[in-house]
Amino acid sequence: MAESEQDPPKDASSEDENTVSEDLEELTEKVTEHFDPKGMMTPRSSTELPTDPENAVESERIPISEELMNNSVGGNESPAKASNRDDQQKETVFEDVDSISAERHLPPPTPDHETYSAEYREITQHNEIGDQKEDQFEQVKPEFQGPAPTPTNDQLQSSPENLLEMERAMVSQKSGQLTKDDLGLVNVRKDGQGLLDSAPPRLVSDIFCQDETIHQDVCLCAVAVGADNPMGKCPPDTSLVDTAICDTVFEEHSYMKQNSLNLVWSFGINQNTPVHALHIDNRRLILYASSHTAVMNNFSITRQHHFQGHSSPISCIAVCGNRRWVATADQSQESLVIVWDTFSGIPVQTLFDCHPEGGVGALAISHDAKYLATVGTGAVQTFIAFNPEDNTELLSNNKTEIVFYSWKGNQVDFASPVLTDKTFNKIVGLYSQSVFHLVPSQVLTATSAGNLVIWATEVTTQLQLDAVKQYKKRPFKLVNLQNDSITVVTVTDRYIVTCDVKGCIRFYDEELCLLNWYSNLNLGPIRSISFSSQPAPKANEKTAYPSECTINAQQFVVRNFVVATFDATVAHVTGDGCKLEMLLQEHSGALHAIACHPSQSLICMGSYCGLLKVWDYEKKKPVCSRLFGTGNYIQCMTYNKAGSLLGVGLTDGCVHILDALSLNDEHSEPFQYAKDAITDIAFSHDSSYLATVDSKTTVTVFNFLKGSWMYLGRQNAHFKPIKSLMFGMYLDSDQPRLLSLGEDRVLVEYDLANSTGDDLRILSSDRIEQSALPTCMAWYPPITKESFIIMANSQYKLKLYNATTRMCRKTVLSPIYGSPLRKIEILPFSNSNEPKFGYLAYITDNKVGLQTLPLDGNPHKSCAFICHGSMVSNVACSYDGCYIFTAGGDDCTVHMWKVDLKAHEAATALGGKDLIPFYGLLEGGRDGELFREMENYFYYSQLRYQRISTMETREVSPQIPLQEIPFMMRALAFYPTEKEIEDMLNEVKFSKYVDTGKYVTDIDLGEFIKLYINHRPAFGISASEMQHTFDVLGYENDNGEKAIGLGELLQLLQTRGECLSEEEIAESLSTLLGLNPEGGSSEFDAFDAKEASKLLNQQLPQEITSELFTYDILGFPCNLSASPCADMMPMPAAPLTEMQKEKWSQSQKTF
């Protein structure tokens, strides 16, 4: 261990550094003067000694609205440097957690209480206090006798820190209550008597972890476990936070949730967030982040509790000293900071929009849980921490800079000392983390060069200035501890702890002398280390602590701790006996591949780190795993129907067929016929075929013949990426059939029976969409007599296609939760012989949902929940339909959701029956203008069908013929294409054909409303879609605008897509421009196309730009709203007379 004793050069403007020393008795007298006989502080003059920082905070509390505090930097800093410091300071936000008590009538959080070390207890032991835990509560003093006894001069040196300890001796005269002073010192008050405990916060006994006594952290009551009469009863209106104990959150009732989908288990961990040990009574209880959820995992009882409140990935987790209060933060434009009670699992405070520029990048909570500090992602600083001895001191650092803060009231002072390689003539390295030293006024910073930077306070000749300018620090020493990069530095008990990139943990004393180290843990680069809140047992003949690396070789007494690495491994180390237990070994790469076993409670996960792992999700235990070589990224996988084989596709094009139990290869060598990633893989129902899809739109099929797998052939049947691949069976046989669906809107079926070696043939190819992009497909469950294929598209529609004829038989509005459906899975059925209902699981960009079948468009039959903070990439269902699993992709996590069908049906019933849910989808509802127009058009259609000029008696009917459906739709401003009209007519016509053998020829108003709601565009046609069309078909003119020539535009309208005749084009354009005084042709009169063509040639330019076509011809409003529905209704291009306006309005509803 090399240590540099050379001091850095001092700035010429810096103040002289002098050591302040004072006799302990004199300092004690000065402190005693600030207390009145009742134990309360008296007002201080400007020259008085610095009082306890938290007491100062109580009198000058910072309101939450003043969370951003600025102050200029003193000294000889340049203006540019000062500006940088100011920007960094602006990113630091201080929040007063005591506002919880004011806003929600809850008491403030409790400070930390850790048990004395053996050495410190001998120094600071009170006169009449015994070793029993009960004495801390039962022994009382008759009255306040002044400050607590202090150590002698030869035991503890006089320092401002000792003054702070003496000032903590404040006792209230209230009786009969368990109370704490501002620093969280526990006192039992009986009949005016009180017990004072003035140990430093790091060494105060942690009564929360004691077996015999449970201390309610809100200070309302303390209950003796097993006692008949509690010490104090909580009022009947006390919240769960008041009455909760450490086991409350894991009680059975805490899992009674009433959602359709409930998160019950999380696999995986956010590697970039720390893992915290919440050990209580030697239980293995840890806290970590899994995507957007904070997980409290109790390994002793194999149970998790999830803190759900964030919608984006959690970026920071911080815990207070006693581990009860936890703060979490995320990174998003609408970032949240949430404070949780780990005893009850309840969020007690939520802070909104802390850093709208991109979320929270670093978070710290004070030792006593009274204050929060956050740093935004836009800031330079990436780490922040409070001084556990003084809440008014903070530090933050990034890789090259460290900033020290000191705040009081609404004023924040900060400084950023400069340290370069020239300061000590040594390589400093990049900063990783910083921590306040055990030695007062010193700070330690670890670097990538294996160094430890010691920052010391610039000492002045006046004690007052020394206290005020604690943030004025300079680099004092640069100590080289090792050659490897140090990733973590922290302090526990009397040790300084460092962790490095090779998984080594080292313990030093205050003088940085090495005491012990752990180098044989076989861990990767360490991300965080967290020590138990339970104190370590004292060393004796029965303990098996390792020996210190000192001459005395005493037992190295250390608390149990938890270590987390950057490769998603979490290990628990027991100090007594040096026992290592791996708690978590999760995926460290993007996780896209998941598959559920078809008959057992097993789920297999594969990720880009090459790890393939099988879990028993009922027992929450791993079954087996396999690690592929470096660079073998697992992209997809699937089980065969029997559950004996597992097909795995890699990103390099390799296909492995594995035994499902041992994960060994069934084939000697993996198949590799593709050069690109395998994006989908599927087995046939009889396991005779295996099909894969690569990213170059190619389908590859393997056949099982003569006891081995053989290559059958490849086919490039799509010209755009394939979105879905699935096997099925023919209706008249059990032969497998293979289908693929691509973004080219084509459904392809392959002829497996007639395909031979290296010749995969196509049986059929059908275009199924006009403009929408298919996103996924699945086999519709057997709840109907027909066999259907269900497909989802990019226009928020779900469609049913006949499996044989490919006819679209039904179209409904799909669930709308931020994005179209990305993948769908049918939940397996129960043992019912003829099921009438089914359920469909689906995922969107970041949500998982449940949909009731059969489909009818009722929005209340679907629900969705945020399942991952970023993009969800895959979904799978358990064999019994009780669980749904979602894979988060880049967040390396999988979440397990329990399906509650009773809760889902109850939520559906609340939406109403029959047409009530659909009335809510109409503008204005049942009493709105749109519904009244439907009724009027409905009866007018009967008049039109029976001919208006007829003299015969009219028949009023509640139904209209199917031929009137297109006219009704256009009258309601929905202009479907001919293909869409055909789909609507077929949907109604064949709706009862299977049951009755007859076609449906009429439709009533209720069925028409459903048809209109399900077929109309979910968000209308937006101006951006029109702009995209011109981007594809047009050219850029001299003004930089996208344009199409008039002749070319007319030719496209007559030759591409659903072609229009010349008369239809002339009539439509003249009507849109308001050139036709009659508003277009009537039902019986012929339209004069020649006159309209002349008018068009005079009015339309030879070059049509996208803006001209969108706003002037089609009449889209120029002031577009953010909602895509706002520009759905076209408006006339030019001002019209009142008569023209009326005719134009009628033309929009022409029959």
Side-chain angles (χ1 to χ4, degrees):
M1 178 175 63
E3 176 176 328
S4 177
E5 299 290 349
Q6 179 183 357
D7 290 339
K10 298 182 180 180
D11 194 306
S13 62
S14 63
E15 300 177 358
D16 295 334
E17 298 178 355
N18 297 309
T19 304
V20 179
S21 63
E22 191 169 352
D23 185 77
L24 181 60
E25 296 180 358
E26 181 180 354
L27 293 178
T28 305
E29 293 177 359
K30 292 184 177 181
V31 174
T32 308
E33 293 175 356
H34 296 280
F35 292 87
D36 58 20
K38 294 183 180 181
M40 303 303 294
M41 293 185 61
T42 57
R44 298 174 294 173
S45 64
S46 59
T47 59
E48 63 184 351
L49 296 177
T51 60
D52 183 84
E54 292 185 20
N55 292 334
V57 172
E58 290 297 328
S59 60
E60 298 180 23
R61 187 161 310 281
I62 303 177
I64 291 181
S65 60
E66 298 178 358
E67 61 186 13
L68 193 63
M69 299 176 288
N70 305 320
N71 189 35
S72 59
V73 180
N76 294 331
E77 268 187 314
S78 63
K81 198 75 175 180
S83 177
N84 292 336
R85 305 291 176 273
D86 188 67
D87 293 340
Q88 294 165 5
Q89 184 273 331
K90 288 181 180 179
E91 296 298 331
T92 304
V93 180
F94 302 92
E95 297 293 346
D96 189 352
V97 186
D98 280 350
S99 60
I100 301 171
S101 176
E103 296 179 8
R104 303 195 179 190
H105 307 289
L106 298 177
T110 303
D112 181 32
H113 303 282
E114 300 178 0
T115 303
Y116 294 100
S117 64
E119 297 84 351
Y120 196 90
R121 180 178 292 275
E122 294 177 358
I123 297 175
T124 60
Q125 188 173 15
H126 296 293
N127 293 331
E128 298 295 332
I129 299 179
D131 294 332
Q132 299 296 327
K133 298 177 182 179
E134 293 82 356
D135 292 343
Q136 298 181 10
F137 293 88
E138 297 174 358
Q139 182 174 353
V140 296
K141 300 176 69 174
E143 61 181 1
F144 181 67
Q145 301 292 342
T150 58
T152 58
N153 292 337
D154 58 346
Q155 291 174 325
L156 286 179
Q157 236 181 352
S158 175
S159 69
E161 299 296 332
N162 301 124
L163 296 181
L164 296 178
E165 297 302 330
M166 289 182 287
E167 289 190 25
R168 290 170 183 163
M170 298 178 56
V171 179
S172 172
Q173 297 302 312
K174 295 181 180 180
S175 60
Q177 296 181 355
L178 177 67
T179 61
K180 298 172 292 183
D181 64 9
D182 292 334
L183 285 181
L185 305 180
V186 181
N187 304 277
V188 174
R189 315 284 171 78
K190 289 184 178 180
D191 301 328
Q193 298 176 335
L195 171 66
L196 178 65
D197 191 353
S198 61
R202 293 184 182 179
L203 301 176
V204 178
S205 179
D206 191 352
I207 65 173
F208 294 97
C209 304
Q210 296 179 5
D211 298 334
E212 303 296 333
T213 306
I214 296 175
H215 175 266
Q216 298 298 339
D217 198 46
V218 291
C219 302
L220 292 182
C221 60
V223 182
V225 178
D228 296 333
N229 298 320
M231 294 175 60
K233 293 185 179 180
C234 298
D237 58 345
T238 303
S239 69
L240 182 59
V241 177
D242 300 337
T243 59
I245 61 176
C246 57
D247 287 333
T248 301
V249 71
F250 291 110
E251 293 177 356
E252 290 295 335
H253 68 79
S254 64
Y255 281 81
M256 298 176 60
K257 300 180 181 179
Q258 302 297 323
N259 298 324
S260 302
L261 297 176
N262 302 296
L263 181 62
V264 295
W265 200 263
S266 294
F267 303 89
I269 183 174
N270 293 5
Q271 307 162 50
N272 295 324
T273 57
V275 176
H276 295 280
L278 305 179
H279 296 80
I280 301 177
D281 301 335
N282 294 322
R283 306 174 203 179
R284 295 168 300 165
L285 181 62
I286 63 174
L287 176 72
Y288 56 90
S290 180
S291 187
H292 69 304
T293 303
V295 181
M296 193 161 57
N297 198 334
N298 192 332
F299 289 89
S300 300
I301 59 176
T302 314
R303 185 171 293 176
Q304 291 183 350
H305 180 81
H306 301 90
F307 298 111
Q308 295 178 263
H310 296 275
S311 59
S312 300
I314 293 178
S315 57
C316 311
I317 295 182
V319 299
C320 69
N322 62 15
R323 317 298 170 89
R324 175 168 186 177
W325 308 101
V326 172
T328 58
D330 62 59
Q331 291 183 356
S332 66
Q333 296 299 325
E334 299 177 353
S335 61
L336 298 177
V337 175
I338 306 178
V339 180
W340 307 86
D341 174 24
T342 59
F343 283 12
S344 63
I346 295 176
V348 295
Q349 184 74 24
T350 301
L351 310 176
F352 298 91
D353 300 325
C354 292
H355 296 277
E357 67 279 2
V360 180
L363 172 70
I365 187 171
S366 62
H367 198 70
D368 57 4
K370 288 188 176 181
Y371 302 98
L372 289 173
T374 63
V375 177
T377 55
V380 181
Q381 304 295 294
T382 58
F383 177 83
I384 190 170
F386 277 95
N387 185 347
E389 306 291 345
D390 187 352
N391 288 343
T392 63
E393 292 186 21
L394 297 95
L395 62 80
S396 65
N397 72 265
N398 59 11
K399 292 183 178 182
T400 59
E401 193 173 24
I402 185 169
V403 182
F404 300 99
Y405 306 88
S406 178
W407 63 277
K408 181 178 180 181
N410 293 331
Q411 181 178 357
V412 176
D413 296 320
F414 59 93
S416 178
V418 177
L419 174 61
T420 64
D421 295 344
K422 297 181 180 180
T423 305
F424 295 107
N425 295 323
K426 288 187 177 182
I427 297 177
V428 177
L430 301 177
Y431 302 155
S432 57
Q433 290 185 3
S434 301
V435 65
F436 286 92
H437 195 354
L438 293 173
V439 178
S441 73
Q442 288 189 359
V443 171
L444 305 177
T445 299
T447 73
S448 61
N451 296 325
L452 207 60
V453 182
I454 302 178
W455 310 86
T457 302
E458 298 179 2
V459 181
T460 63
T461 56
Q462 299 180 13
L463 183 59
Q464 181 185 4
L465 294 179
D466 178 68
V468 172
K469 297 186 178 180
Q470 288 290 329
Y471 67 95
K472 290 284 188 178
K473 299 184 186 298
R474 62 181 180 84
F476 178 64
K477 291 182 181 180
L478 181 65
V479 182
N480 182 256
L481 300 180
Q482 59 189 63
N483 296 326
D484 301 317
S485 175
I486 301 177
T487 57
V488 178
V489 60
T490 187
V491 173
T492 179
D493 295 333
R494 60 187 180 91
Y495 306 124
I496 298 171
V497 188
T498 65
C499 308
D500 58 32
V501 293
K502 290 188 177 181
C504 184
I505 306 172
R506 292 177 171 87
F507 293 81
Y508 302 88
D509 62 8
E510 296 181 2
E511 298 179 355
L512 295 180
C513 293
L514 184 62
L515 298 178
N516 198 2
W517 69 90
Y518 295 85
S519 59
N520 56 351
L521 301 180
N522 297 323
L523 300 175
I526 296 179
R527 170 62 180 86
S528 65
I529 185 171
S530 179
F531 290 86
S532 172
S533 59
Q534 185 78 6
K538 295 181 180 180
N540 52 48
E541 297 178 355
K542 297 181 180 180
T543 57
Y545 291 106
S547 300
E548 292 184 353
C549 303
T550 60
I551 298 177
N552 297 330
Q554 298 178 354
Q555 291 193 38
F556 178 71
V557 180
V558 64
R559 300 181 183 219
N560 300 342
F561 58 90
V562 171
V563 180
T565 66
F566 282 100
D567 55 4
T569 299
V570 179
H572 176 267
V573 180
T574 304
D576 187 2
C578 297
K579 299 177 183 179
L580 175 67
E581 179 185 4
M582 291 296 179
L583 300 181
L584 297 174
Q585 287 181 296
E586 300 295 348
H587 300 266
S588 59
L591 200 162
H592 300 281
I594 56 174
C596 287
H597 196 279
S599 59
Q600 300 179 26
S601 59
L602 301 176
I603 181 173
C604 187
M605 310 174 191
S607 65
Y608 280 6
C609 68
L611 177 62
L612 189 67
K613 196 170 186 178
V614 179
W615 282 82
D616 186 329
Y617 54 78
E618 290 286 359
K619 298 180 180 179
K620 311 299 187 301
K621 294 181 179 180
V623 177
C624 58
S625 63
R626 174 179 173 178
L627 185 63
F628 290 83
T630 305
N632 293 321
Y633 302 150
I634 301 175
Q635 181 66 41
C636 58
M637 67 176 64
T638 185
Y639 281 99
N640 66 339
K641 187 175 182 180
S644 59
L645 298 176
L646 181 68
V648 179
L650 307 183
T651 56
D652 60 356
C654 288
V655 177
H656 292 260
I657 302 177
L658 310 177
D659 178 79
L661 295 179
S662 63
L663 300 183
N664 294 327
D665 285 283
E666 289 286 313
H667 198 268
S668 57
E669 294 291 335
F671 296 103
Q672 187 167 13
Y673 291 89
K675 297 181 180 180
D676 300 287
I678 304 299
T679 57
D680 203 353
I681 187 170
F683 279 102
S684 62
H685 71 284
D686 57 359
S687 302
S688 59
Y689 293 96
L690 173 67
T692 64
V693 174
D694 61 48
S695 57
K696 291 297 182 181
T697 70
T698 303
V699 174
T700 306
V701 178
F702 303 93
N703 192 16
F704 187 76
L705 293 174
K706 299 179 181 180
S708 63
W709 288 94
M710 306 294 292
Y711 168 73
L712 180 61
R714 288 165 57 86
Q715 182 61 253
N716 192 354
H718 299 269
F719 64 89
K720 287 188 176 182
I722 297 175
K723 303 300 294 183
S724 189
L725 177 76
M726 66 180 185
F727 278 96
M729 288 190 301
Y730 290 101
L731 297 177
D732 54 352
S733 68
D734 61 351
Q735 294 298 316
R737 57 189 300 192
L738 177 63
L739 300 95
S740 64
L741 178 65
E743 285 187 0
D744 53 5
R745 306 178 180 89
V746 176
L747 178 66
V748 178
E749 183 173 0
Y750 300 88
D751 189 359
L752 298 178
N754 297 319
S755 299
T756 57
D758 203 16
D759 182 20
L760 181 61
R761 299 183 180 181
I762 296 177
L763 183 63
S764 64
S765 179
D766 301 283
R767 184 181 176 93
I768 59 170
E769 292 284 358
Q770 280 188 310
S771 58
L773 298 178
T775 57
C776 53
M777 68 174 178
W779 291 103
Y780 199 65
I783 57 178
T784 61
K785 296 181 179 180
E786 292 184 79
S787 178
F788 290 120
I789 299 173
I790 180 174
M791 297 184 187
N793 63 31
S794 59
Q795 294 181 353
Y796 296 92
K797 302 295 182 183
L798 284 172
K799 294 186 177 183
L800 296 183
Y801 291 86
N802 185 283
T804 303
T805 64
R806 311 288 196 280
M807 178 187 294
C808 180
R809 292 292 307 277
K810 193 176 186 64
T811 301
V812 300
L813 187 67
S814 76
I816 301 177
Y817 294 104
S819 70
L821 306 189
R822 301 304 182 190
K823 191 174 181 180
I824 55 178
E825 289 284 337
I826 303 298
L827 265 65
F829 285 95
S830 60
N831 297 326
S832 177
N833 295 327
E834 295 183 359
K836 297 182 180 180
F837 300 95
Y839 298 92
L840 176 146
Y842 61 86
I843 56 173
T844 62
D845 281 349
N846 65 339
K847 299 178 181 66
V848 60
L850 193 65
Q851 169 73 50
T852 303
L853 303 178
L855 299 173
D856 60 1
N858 182 355
H860 299 285
K861 289 186 176 182
S862 66
C863 64
F865 302 88
I866 297 177
C867 58
H868 290 271
S870 54
M871 182 71 69
V872 55
S873 61
N874 206 350
V875 63
C877 298
S878 63
Y879 73 97
D880 54 2
C882 293
Y883 299 100
I884 297 174
F885 299 86
T886 58
D890 293 337
D891 65 14
C892 310
T893 62
V894 172
H895 288 166
M896 175 179 171
W897 304 81
K898 184 174 179 60
V899 179
D900 190 342
L901 297 181
K902 292 183 179 180
H904 182 71
E905 293 301 330
T908 301
L910 293 177
K913 298 181 180 180
D914 301 326
L915 290 175
I916 295 178
F918 296 92
Y919 290 146
L921 297 177
L922 296 175
E923 291 78 0
R926 176 65 176 79
D927 301 324
E929 182 179 355
L930 179 59
F931 181 80
R932 291 195 298 269
E933 286 188 358
M934 282 186 173
E935 290 182 315
N936 295 334
Y937 294 151
F938 198 80
Y939 291 109
Y940 181 72
S941 294
Q942 297 185 34
L943 297 177
R944 180 187 179 283
Y945 180 73
Q946 299 178 28
R947 302 190 65 83
I948 297 179
S949 58
T950 184
M951 301 299 294
E952 299 178 0
T953 304
R954 301 187 183 278
E955 298 180 2
V956 179
S957 171
Q959 299 176 332
I960 60 173
L962 296 186
Q963 297 91 314
E964 296 298 312
I965 289 179
F967 303 103
M968 284 283 292
M969 294 293 180
R970 291 166 187 153
L972 296 171
F974 168 39
Y975 302 95
T977 64
E978 295 300 323
K979 179 66 169 62
E980 291 172 337
I981 291 175
E982 181 183 355
D983 291 343
M984 285 188 287
L985 296 180
N986 288 336
E987 179 177 332
V988 180
K989 183 177 180 180
F990 294 98
S991 59
K992 300 180 180 179
Y993 183 79
V994 176
D995 298 327
T996 63
K998 298 180 180 179
Y999 298 129
V1000 175
T1001 58
D1002 300 318
I1003 185 173
D1004 58 22
L1005 181 59
E1007 292 298 322
F1008 176 81
I1009 291 176
K1010 294 181 181 179
L1011 193 70
Y1012 169 75
I1013 290 175
N1014 286 324
H1015 281 264
R1016 69 176 179 177
F1019 298 109
I1021 300 175
S1022 62
S1024 59
E1025 295 181 63
M1026 302 303 303
Q1027 181 63 46
H1028 175 71
T1029 303
F1030 273 78
D1031 292 340
V1032 175
L1033 301 177
Y1035 59 88
E1036 189 171 337
N1037 60 14
D1038 297 337
N1039 298 328
E1041 300 174 320
K1042 291 293 183 178
I1044 301 177
L1046 178 59
E1048 183 180 0
L1049 175 62
L1050 297 177
Q1051 183 179 6
L1052 290 173
L1053 293 174
Q1054 296 179 65
T1055 58
R1056 301 288 294 274
E1058 294 184 352
C1059 305
L1060 299 176
S1061 64
E1062 184 177 351
E1063 290 77 9
E1064 290 174 334
I1065 295 176
E1067 180 181 4
S1068 301
L1069 290 177
S1070 60
T1071 303
L1072 289 172
L1073 294 173
L1075 302 177
N1076 188 349
E1078 298 299 329
S1081 62
S1082 64
E1083 301 175 29
F1084 309 106
D1085 299 334
F1087 180 76
D1088 188 358
K1090 294 182 179 180
E1091 294 296 330
S1093 299
K1094 293 180 180 179
L1095 293 175
L1096 291 177
N1097 291 331
Q1098 295 176 1
Q1099 296 293 328
L1100 292 178
Q1102 294 302 312
E1103 184 179 75
I1104 306 296
T1105 63
S1106 60
E1107 289 78 7
L1108 175 64
F1109 188 80
T1110 303
Y1111 302 114
D1112 295 339
I1113 297 179
L1114 296 183
F1116 279 73
C1118 296
N1119 53 342
L1120 297 180
S1121 173
S1123 173
C1125 302
D1127 53 5
M1128 179 179 173
M1129 191 67 165
M1131 295 293 291
L1136 304 176
T1137 63
E1138 293 298 324
M1139 182 179 297
Q1140 289 175 326
K1141 290 181 180 180
E1142 182 179 357
K1143 292 181 178 179
W1144 180 89
S1145 177
Q1146 294 176 356
S1147 69
Q1148 302 303 304
K1149 304 174 182 179
T1150 303
F1151 291 93

